[in-house]
Amino acid sequence: MPPVTGIEEVYSAIERSARLAGVPCSADTVRPILAAYADGLAEAGVVYSVSTRQDAPVELDFTVTVPTRSGDPYATAVAHGFITPAGHPVDRLLADLQDRCTISEYLVDGGVVGGFNKIYAHFPQDVQPVAKLADLPGMPPALARSLDLFARHGLSEVAMIGIDYPRRTVNLYFTRLSEESRAPQTILSLHRELGLPAPDEAMLAFARRSFRIYTTLSWDSAAVERICYAPPPARGWDPEALPVPVTARVQRFVDEAPRAYEGEPIVIAAVKWAPEGEYLNLGPYFQLSPLMRKVISAVHNGKL
């Protein structure tokens, strides 16, 4: 498949992936997001994902990297009507991060049904101590309240933050994970303290392979609302090796979703725990950004 050249190529790939997943795709929902962040699409990382929370997917999410040269992605979202500032701390958090750290790339996230939802700041070359991030004025107070919990479980450095504007939640992506922080007893202890269901053996084995552990916090709760374990993206995948069953439709989506590279799909799989239980997110990449190629290479070479 030739390299991506613009909005139509990316939209066509997202539309076809949505059909494979059985999710209705609206051009009026997706194209405006791609158009707003069109600068750099030729080399953008693009990944689409579905959740196993329901028997059949009800949404197909897509994430696109945005180069820092394109300016402030929050300002772009406001200008295009994706975000309406309301004086909430969520509206200032990205600016706080821009002042605090050197961001290597941004990512924007949307759904083919629900539209625009997230902006990510990715700073793998300027990893931040979580305690410093807790001091940011726009950060949910729940982070400061959780610092001792994170420290006890080896979660101390953050490489990326995702900001969900409609839900007013924040994801912190912990990196440089030690063997101890991924050990079964550590994960079980963390879940007990968070009041989340205990993982079974298959889930523990999956979580132990994580290169990123991320948590969800909000301004409406003093607790960590959700935790997720994400092994590094891998070339090829085996549905039988996953800790939860995957339907034939989801398997076909992962296998056949368009990709702008040769060979087997590069897939990211993440298991998430929330009070209502656990589920899996599966995402085949359409295209990798140059930075993500470096990150994946470093992970697989044991350098990150």
Side-chain angles (χ1 to χ4, degrees):
M1 188 170 184
V4 176
T5 57
I7 297 166
E8 289 307 313
E9 289 86 350
V10 177
Y11 174 74
S12 176
I14 292 171
E15 183 183 48
R16 181 178 168 197
S17 297
R19 286 200 305 270
L20 288 167
V23 179
C25 180
S26 167
D28 291 340
T29 299
V30 177
R31 274 203 183 100
I33 300 172
L34 299 178
Y37 298 99
D39 181 32
L41 273 183
E43 59 181 12
V46 182
V47 61
Y48 6 68
S49 63
V50 297
S51 168
T52 63
R53 180 182 286 184
Q54 295 88 11
D55 290 337
V58 297
E59 178 69 283
L60 180 130
D61 292 306
F62 59 94
T63 305
V64 179
T65 60
V66 178
T68 56
R69 68 171 186 268
S70 299
D72 184 354
Y74 176 82
T76 299
V78 171
H80 286 79
F82 305 146
I83 296 172
T84 301
H88 190 275
V90 72
D91 295 321
R92 67 170 296 170
L93 182 53
L94 186 62
D96 289 344
L97 290 169
Q98 290 163 340
D99 290 341
R100 169 72 210 174
C101 55
T102 301
I103 297 170
S104 298
E105 66 179 0
Y106 297 103
L107 302 89
V108 295
D109 188 272
V112 300
V113 175
F116 185 92
N117 50 54
K118 291 183 184 178
I119 297 175
Y120 301 82
H122 192 198
F123 37 92
Q125 296 167 341
D126 189 21
V127 169
Q128 295 291 309
V130 66
K132 296 292 185 183
L133 295 173
D135 291 336
L136 296 178
M139 192 64 71
L143 179 55
R145 297 189 187 104
S146 302
L147 288 177
D148 288 344
L149 170 73
F150 291 147
R152 288 195 303 274
H153 295 88
L155 304 177
S156 60
E157 295 181 293
V158 176
M160 185 165 71
I161 287 182
I163 307 167
D164 189 318
Y165 292 91
R167 295 181 181 87
R168 292 180 174 173
T169 60
V170 174
N171 300 128
L172 282 84
Y173 290 74
F174 291 94
T175 190
R176 296 178 179 170
L177 304 174
S178 67
E179 288 294 324
E180 183 178 356
S181 68
R182 295 176 292 181
Q185 64 269 22
T186 304
I187 295 172
L188 290 170
S189 169
L190 179 58
H191 280 236
R192 280 195 300 271
E193 293 200 46
L194 292 176
L196 295 175
D200 61 21
E201 290 298 321
M203 286 287 192
L204 282 173
F206 184 91
R208 290 196 69 184
R209 296 168 41 223
S210 299
F211 91 113
R212 296 272 173 88
I213 293 176
Y214 65 94
T215 57
T216 302
L217 304 99
S218 79
W219 286 265
D220 299 325
S221 172
V224 174
E225 295 186 349
R226 188 172 61 193
I227 191 161
C228 178
Y229 300 87
R235 172 79 72 170
W237 73 301
D238 177 7
E240 299 298 324
L242 295 173
V244 296
V246 174
T247 65
R249 180 180 286 278
V250 169
Q251 182 171 347
R252 184 181 176 211
F253 155 71
V254 176
D255 285 335
E256 299 183 18
R259 48 187 181 270
Y261 51 86
E262 300 296 329
E264 294 183 289
I266 297 171
V267 181
I268 187 163
V271 64
K272 300 183 178 183
W273 275 271
E276 62 270 22
E278 72 268 1
Y279 58 98
L280 195 70
N281 266 28
L282 277 173
Y285 278 86
F286 173 51
Q287 181 166 282
L288 294 173
S289 71
L291 177 58
M292 279 310 298
R293 289 183 185 276
K294 291 179 182 178
V295 169
I296 292 171
S297 176
V299 168
H300 286 285
N301 290 326
K303 297 179 180 179
L304 190 64

